[in-house]
C-alpha cells in the first residue's frame, strides 16, 4: 500500500503565479480531504470530497483557491494567483468511508513557499 | 486544543517514563475525538480515537481519557520511546457537522535518552 501520494513535495513560486498541488488517494477510499497547516493557524480543513463530489468547501479561503477531483484516483488544489500568505504545508488525506469517524490517512504534504 | 501561534507547548520526557498530553476542546457538541501524531516532514498519523459515550480507551501503549464535564481530553503514552518524539494533535468532530475534524494546536513531545 503506497499510501496517499502528494506532489510536488516542495514548491517555490513567485507571487502572482499559478500553483497546482496534486494528490492520489489510497485506492478504494471514497473520501478525500485537503488541509492546510501553518504555525499560526494549525491544521485547517479546506475542502473535502466524497465519491469525487465536493461536499463542503467552506474552508477554502477565497476564490483564488479551487479544487477538483476528476476521478477517484486524482485530485488537484489550485491557487491562482498565489500570494505570500498562502505559504504553508498542504496535506491531502483520504478515508475509506464518508464519515469523520473513519481514519484519515494523510500524505506527506506539499511545502509551498510563495515569494 | 487551543492554537498557540508560533510556539508549540513542549513536553520533555525521559525515555521509559510515561507521557501525558492534554487537550481542551471547545465545542460541547463534539462527540468524537481523535489523537494524531506528526513526525517531522510527515503528515499526521492516526493514533487512537474515542467516542463521547466512553471515558477511556486503550491501545498499544496509549490510553485516551475523555472528561466531557470539563471538555478535556488526554493521551497517555506508556514507557515513552525515542520514536515517540513528535507533535501530537487532538481533533474533535461533531457528528451533525459531517466530516469536519477540528484540530487543536498541538503539543511537541521530546524524548530524552
Amino acid at each position: 500500500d503506497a499510501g496517499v501520494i502528494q506532489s510536488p513535495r516542495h514548491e517555490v513560486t513567485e507571487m502572482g503565479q499559478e500553483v497546482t498541488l496534486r494528490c492520489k488517494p489510497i485506492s478504494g477510499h471514497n473520501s478525500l480531504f485537503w488541509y492546510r497547516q501553518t504555525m499560526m493557524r494549525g491544521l485547517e480543513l479546506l475542502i473535502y470530497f466524497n465519491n469525487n463530489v465536493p461536499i463542503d468547501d467552506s474552508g477554502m479561503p477565497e476564490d483564488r483557491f479551487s479544487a477538483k477531483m476528476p476521478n477517484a484516483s486524482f485530485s488537484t488544489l489550485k491557487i491562482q494567483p498565489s500570494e505570500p500568505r498562502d505559504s504553508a504545508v498542504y496535506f491531502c488525506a483520504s478515508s475509506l468511508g464518508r464519515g469523520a469517524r473513519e481514519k484519515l490517512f494523510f500524505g506527506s504534504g506539499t511545502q509551498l513557499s510563495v515569494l | 486544543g487551543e492554537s498557540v501561534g508560533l510556539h508549540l507547548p513542549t513536553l520533555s520526557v525521559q525515555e521509559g517514563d510515561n507521557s501525558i498530553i492534554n487537550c481542551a476542546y471547545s465545542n460541547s457538541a463534539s462527540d468524537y475525538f481523535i489523537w494524531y501524531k506528526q513526525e517531522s516532514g510527515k503528515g499526521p498519523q492516526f493514533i487512537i480515537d474515542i467516542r463521547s459515550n466512553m471515558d477511556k480507551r486503550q491501545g498499544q501503549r496509549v490510553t485516551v481519557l475523555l472528561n466531557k464535564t470539563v471538555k478535556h481530553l488526554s493521551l497517555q503514552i506508556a514507557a515513552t520511546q525515542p520514536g515517540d518524539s513528535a507533535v501530537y494533535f487532538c481533533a474533535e468532530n461533531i457528528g451533525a457537522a459531517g466530516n469536519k475534524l477540528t484540530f487543536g494546536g498541538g503539543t511537541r513531545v521530546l524524548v530524552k535518552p
Side-chain angles (χ1 to χ4, degrees), chain A residues 24-115:
Chain A
K24 176 177 167 48
I26 293 173
S27 178
H29 281 193
N30 296 321
S31 294
L32 183 140
F33 306 78
W34 282 101
Y35 281 86
R36 177 172 67 177
Q37 186 176 40
T38 61
M39 285 300 293
M40 289 302 297
R41 300 173 67 89
L43 271 163
E44 303 173 280
L45 176 64
L46 301 177
I47 185 172
Y48 74 88
F49 296 83
N50 182 255
N51 291 326
N52 314 339
V53 176
I55 302 300
D56 187 343
D57 65 354
S58 59
M60 296 286 261
E62 46 198 272
D63 292 345
R64 297 184 297 107
F65 285 69
S66 62
K68 293 182 180 179
M69 192 164 185
N71 57 63
S73 59
F74 184 66
S75 177
T76 59
L77 178 67
K78 185 177 294 186
I79 308 172
Q80 166 63 19
S82 59
E83 297 181 3
R85 62 192 167 119
D86 301 330
S87 297
V89 181
Y90 290 81
F91 287 103
C92 176
S94 69
S95 69
L96 187 60
R98 176 174 183 154
R101 278 99 170 112
E102 303 283 343
K103 289 181 186 179
L104 292 189
F105 294 82
F106 283 80
S108 296
T110 295
Q111 174 82 57
L112 173 64
S113 297
V114 183
L115 306 178

Side-chain angles (χ1 to χ4, degrees), chain B residues 60-93:
Chain B
Q60 187 176 12
R61 281 202 307 120
V62 294
T63 300
V64 56
L65 299 177
L66 175 62
N67 185 330
K68 295 180 288 294
T69 303
V70 295
K71 292 188 288 186
H72 183 267
L73 195 65
S74 68
L75 178 70
Q76 300 178 2
I77 305 174
T80 312
Q81 302 169 358
D84 296 327
S85 292
V87 177
Y88 290 80
F89 295 93
C90 65
E92 60 185 296
N93 170 255

